[in-house]
Amino acid sequence: MKLQKKIESWCKDENFMHYVQERVRKEMCESTESHRIDPEYEKLDEGFEYEDRYIVPLVTYLTYKLRLAVVQRSARKRKRGIWWVLVHVEMQGHYVKVFAADFEPLLAELREAFLPMLHTEYIQTLNEKSE
């Protein structure tokens, strides 16, 4: 609950939200270079293109990848893993809204992993500017 309240207060900061949008845009533009698709994800994604029943295994796999990233000891690997999941969720586009019930738990976990990471980056950039 504490983290959710912090996230709510961060989201009220327009400068932070602008930073988040720019950072996500930048990562999406560089996604082809830094976010390779693994074979298991590719199978699930292709299956989903033909049958909606693949949405549950696809979301389960993304949730697994997020949880795996969050427990990484290396900060670099943890960040890369969280970005990987975020980019692949963004690539699902409108399907996230169409299958909102399936994506909702993943999006909540992703938000709790992603926003604190970006808030730390944001604070570091503010500190660098003030020096």
Side-chain angles (χ1 to χ4, degrees), residues 98-124:
V98 172
F99 297 98
D102 296 308
F103 275 99
E104 188 176 334
L106 170 62
L107 293 176
E109 281 187 50
L110 185 58
R111 184 175 192 223
E112 288 182 5
F114 169 68
L115 286 176
M117 179 180 78
L118 273 188
H119 191 263
T120 301
E121 283 183 21
Y122 175 69
I123 296 299
Q124 287 174 348

Side-chain angles (χ1 to χ4, degrees), residues 75-90:
R76 187 174 154 267
K77 287 181 180 179
R78 184 173 45 254
K79 287 178 183 180
R80 288 285 19 120
I82 293 169
W83 276 115
W84 187 91
V85 174
L86 180 75
V87 166
H88 286 85
V89 167
E90 289 290 322

Side-chain angles (χ1 to χ4, degrees), residues 4-19:
Q4 291 174 355
K5 288 184 180 186
K6 284 183 180 180
I7 290 173
E8 286 176 20
S9 68
W10 298 338
C11 291
K12 291 176 184 175
D13 180 357
E14 290 181 26
N15 293 328
F16 173 63
M17 293 311 293
H18 179 71
Y19 177 82

Side-chain angles (χ1 to χ4, degrees), residues 47-60:
F48 176 59
E49 286 181 24
Y50 299 107
E51 288 191 52
D52 289 351
R53 67 187 176 104
Y54 281 91
I55 191 64
V56 173
L58 179 68
V59 171
T60 301

